[in-house]
Amino acid sequence: MSDEELREVFKILFERAMPGISLDCLIFAFQDQALKVLCMRYTGQDLWTLPGGWVMRDESLHKAAQRILYERTGLESVYLKQFHTFGEVDRANLKEFLRNVNPNFPQDYLPTRIISIGYYALVDYRKVQFSKDFLTDLTTWQDVADLPELIFDHREIIATGIKTLRAQIDHLPVGYHLMPESFTMPDLQKLHESILGEKVDRANFQKRILSYNILDRLEERRTGGAYKAPFLYRFNLEKYSTFINEEF
Amino acid sequence: MSDEELREVFKILFERAMPGISLDCLIFAFQDQALKVLCMRYTGQDLWTLPGGWVMRDESLHKAAQRILYERTGLESVYLKQFHTFGEVDRANLKEFLRNVNPNFPQDYLPTRIISIGYYALVDYRKVQFSKDFLTDLTTWQDVADLPELIFDHREIIATGIKTLRAQIDHLPVGYHLMPESFTMPDLQKLHESILGEKVDRANFQKRILSYNILDRLEERRTGGAYKAPFLYRFNLEKYSTFINEEF
DNA sequence: ACAAAAGTGTTTCACATACACCCATGC
DNA sequence: GCATGGGTGTATGTGAAACACTTTTGT
């Protein structure tokens, strides 16, 4: 794309968007026994960004979050929640940033201050289809305990999002959105531990989760692995809904 | 102020402000045994609004909230917390609203869509000095259990704010910000009850609050009233801070 | 004396915690 | 056999909930 074409793209984009208002999306998933968040790498740089986008003039915040999530993952109707709005004056000078990336980029329409609304999504990473972006060359899951260098205040956004998630996990069995169809109790425990950032007692965890009465134990066990084969469980949607409604 | 002068005021205002981004402030206080929220009445109408304002281009969200709070109450350095951002497309068509109020108002600079960031403040109503506004003629405390008709989605904003406050009260002894210097235990209980919207057990409340070890019992009791004179208490700032830090 | 409100104590129960014990599996 | 992980049971402690009892004060 030529710089002149890019200028035209920017012009049209920023005419359709709410000026200075973006939306950043924390897309959480549970992969390899760890809590991950979807990040994108700027082409040719060791600098990463959260997936985000602009809020369009004819689009509610929630719709914008759904669209951005769909654009980046191909997913629809997943758990999505607003958690904080970030508005420090110097948090995201996009014009300055893109000027450093490439001084030839057209800068007429770029904002120097962006207020960003933070949403987080809980997804099953097996169902995600990564997409491309004209500024980035790689999209991957990053371990929240070992994050790369991130643009602007995106590290703080992740920290705030995790804090919110942590506060919710006592009331919401978030596994429903993050685990595959069937899973073992030790797996679910690892998920909780990676969200809380600390170990929990095995026996007590099992008893507590089962007492919620939202899981069905399957006949099979997970065989093949070493040691004793653990039971497989599945969330029972009906019981799960009942539980959620009772809590709130 | 003439319409022409008003036009000039609008012009200057909207040049300095972030376009389409406002900030609404729920100012909570505890008065006459009930949780109140500060509302302002539009001149000559039975329609109310929350105190709000625009986020200036050189101002962070938190600074904007502090300024708006100061403008409306004269208060500085009070408890202030962001709780949600409201962004439905049709939530606040200011241009349309002001056209209905007065078709002669200059409308060139008015937005048709506003995204509003919700903050709530906890204040001692005895320290509040109400201010004037060119569109409103009355500023008062409204009982959250008996609200008047409110503009736009302000009723929903209040509902969401109270929900957040309710979720916080288990961890935060909010009385510190809302009660006067000294108070009785039954008073504090009434505060909690008006936030939670339900009665709580007297004996258990007393034991729980005292177990936090954040109050000093004073020598005096509140005399003059009927029946047994209750003890007076005061928040101990040092113990209070310790408690807050332990919780988070 | 009595009613109403304030303060304190007691019983019970739910739940989390700690930890012990047994089972299954691969080496 | 033994180390490791998985499943279950038990004892203990903490805190909430329910409620009884006592004290104080104005009428």
Side-chain angles (χ1 to χ4, degrees):
Chain A
M1 183 153 39
S2 78
D3 290 344
E4 196 45 49
E5 282 168 344
L6 190 58
R7 188 191 140 91
E8 197 57 27
V9 168
F10 279 176
K11 181 170 189 288
I12 291 170
L13 175 66
F14 287 110
E15 270 168 6
R16 289 183 47 220
M18 295 289 287
I21 302 179
S22 79
L23 193 147
D24 285 312
C25 210
L26 289 179
I27 305 173
F28 286 120
F30 185 58
Q31 186 195 36
D32 299 334
Q33 309 277 61
L35 185 67
K36 304 283 179 82
V37 60
L38 195 152
C39 295
M40 307 170 81
R41 189 178 64 183
Y42 283 104
T43 308
Q45 295 183 64
D46 191 19
L47 186 61
W48 298 70
T49 179
L50 290 170
W54 305 99
V55 176
M56 296 300 151
R57 291 185 186 275
D58 61 350
E59 186 182 52
S60 73
L61 298 182
H62 198 76
K63 279 269 175 7
Q66 286 177 320
R67 174 180 53 78
I68 290 166
L69 184 73
Y70 177 73
E71 287 170 1
R72 304 304 191 192
T73 65
L75 291 176
E76 293 179 277
S77 66
V78 305
Y79 183 84
L80 200 52
K81 191 177 171 66
Q82 185 194 312
F83 65 93
H84 193 73
T85 296
F86 300 84
E88 291 301 312
V89 174
D90 61 352
R91 63 167 289 279
N93 188 333
L94 186 64
K95 185 178 247 177
E96 184 182 80
F97 175 73
L98 289 185
R99 188 165 53 224
N100 288 335
V101 169
N102 183 345
N104 294 323
F105 274 177
Q107 289 158 33
D108 319 74
Y109 303 103
L110 298 176
T112 56
R113 177 182 178 187
I114 302 169
I115 289 172
S116 184
I117 297 139
Y119 274 75
Y120 69 78
L122 305 178
V123 308
D124 181 345
Y125 79 93
R126 297 160 200 79
K127 296 177 178 165
V128 171
Q129 295 253 24
F130 293 145
S131 73
K132 288 274 175 183
D133 188 284
F134 90 100
L135 278 171
T136 58
D137 65 346
L138 183 61
T139 303
T140 54
W141 297 107
Q142 294 285 347
D143 193 320
V144 297
D146 182 27
L147 292 169
E149 194 183 342
L150 287 146
I151 195 179
F152 300 154
D153 57 352
H154 285 195
R155 182 178 285 266
E156 184 193 336
I157 292 176
I158 294 174
T160 306
I162 292 175
K163 214 172 148 188
T164 311
L165 186 57
R166 226 168 251 179
Q168 294 248 325
I169 204 175
D170 287 335
H171 313 286
L172 237 211
V174 291
Y176 177 65
H177 305 284
L178 292 162
M179 301 300 277
E181 271 288 303
S182 63
F183 53 88
T184 68
M185 199 55 85
D187 283 345
L188 187 62
Q189 185 181 338
K190 291 274 168 34
L191 169 61
H192 279 243
E193 286 176 342
S194 60
I195 290 174
L196 292 172
E198 61 187 25
K199 294 271 173 205
V200 303
D201 183 272
R202 199 163 47 85
N204 298 324
F205 177 80
Q206 175 124 340
K207 266 178 292 185
R208 184 166 60 84
I209 298 293
L210 289 179
S211 78
Y212 296 158
N213 193 32
I214 52 176
L215 297 182
D216 288 335
R217 179 186 281 189
L218 307 183
E219 294 300 317
E220 329 124 59
R221 290 162 178 256
R222 167 166 299 166
T223 57
Y227 318 121
K228 184 173 180 178
F231 288 109
L232 283 170
Y233 291 90
R234 181 157 36 199
F235 276 95
N236 182 314
L237 181 53
E238 198 180 331
K239 294 177 184 170
Y240 179 81
S241 305
T242 308
F243 177 78
I244 299 298
N245 291 331
E246 278 171 7
E247 285 282 305
F248 302 97
Chain B
M1 183 153 39
S2 77
D3 289 343
E4 196 45 50
E5 282 167 343
L6 190 58
R7 187 191 140 90
E8 197 58 28
V9 167
F10 280 176
K11 182 171 189 288
I12 292 169
L13 175 66
F14 287 110
E15 271 169 3
R16 287 183 49 221
M18 295 289 287
I21 302 179
S22 79
L23 192 147
D24 286 312
C25 209
L26 289 179
I27 305 173
F28 286 121
F30 184 59
Q31 185 194 38
D32 300 333
Q33 308 279 59
L35 184 67
K36 304 285 178 82
V37 60
L38 195 150
C39 294
M40 307 171 81
R41 189 178 65 183
Y42 282 105
T43 308
Q45 296 183 66
D46 191 21
L47 185 62
W48 298 70
T49 179
L50 291 170
W54 306 99
V55 178
M56 296 299 151
R57 291 185 186 275
D58 61 350
E59 186 181 53
S60 73
L61 298 181
H62 197 77
K63 279 270 174 7
Q66 287 178 320
R67 173 179 53 78
I68 290 166
L69 184 73
Y70 178 74
E71 287 170 1
R72 304 302 191 193
T73 64
L75 290 176
E76 294 178 277
S77 65
V78 304
Y79 183 85
L80 199 54
K81 191 176 170 68
Q82 184 193 311
F83 65 93
H84 194 73
T85 296
F86 299 85
E88 292 299 314
V89 174
D90 59 353
R91 63 167 288 279
N93 188 332
L94 186 65
K95 185 179 244 176
E96 184 183 80
F97 175 73
L98 289 185
R99 189 166 52 225
N100 288 336
V101 169
N102 183 345
N104 294 324
F105 273 177
Q107 289 158 31
D108 318 76
Y109 304 104
L110 297 176
T112 56
R113 177 183 178 186
I114 302 170
I115 289 173
S116 184
I117 297 138
Y119 274 75
Y120 69 78
L122 305 178
V123 308
D124 180 347
Y125 79 94
R126 296 160 200 80
K127 296 178 180 167
V128 170
Q129 296 252 25
F130 293 145
S131 73
K132 287 274 174 183
D133 188 285
F134 91 100
L135 278 170
T136 58
D137 65 347
L138 183 61
T139 302
T140 55
W141 296 108
Q142 294 284 347
D143 194 321
V144 298
D146 182 27
L147 292 169
E149 195 183 342
L150 287 145
I151 195 179
F152 300 152
D153 56 353
H154 285 195
R155 182 178 285 265
E156 185 194 335
I157 293 177
I158 295 174
T160 306
I162 292 175
K163 213 172 148 188
T164 311
L165 186 58
R166 226 168 251 182
Q168 294 249 326
I169 203 175
D170 287 334
H171 313 286
L172 239 210
V174 291
Y176 178 64
H177 305 283
L178 292 161
M179 301 301 277
E181 270 288 305
S182 62
F183 53 90
T184 69
M185 200 54 86
D187 283 345
L188 187 61
Q189 185 182 338
K190 291 273 167 34
L191 168 61
H192 279 243
E193 287 175 342
S194 60
I195 289 173
L196 292 172
E198 60 186 25
K199 294 271 174 207
V200 303
D201 183 89
R202 200 163 46 83
N204 298 324
F205 178 79
Q206 175 123 340
K207 267 176 291 186
R208 184 166 60 85
I209 298 293
L210 289 179
S211 77
Y212 296 158
N213 193 33
I214 52 175
L215 298 181
D216 289 334
R217 179 186 280 190
L218 307 183
E219 295 301 319
E220 328 124 61
R221 289 161 177 259
R222 167 166 301 166
T223 57
Y227 317 121
K228 184 173 180 178
F231 289 107
L232 283 170
Y233 291 89
R234 180 157 38 199
F235 277 95
N236 181 314
L237 182 54
E238 198 180 331
K239 294 177 184 171
Y240 179 81
S241 305
T242 307
F243 177 79
I244 298 298
N245 291 331
E246 277 171 9
E247 284 282 305
F248 304 97

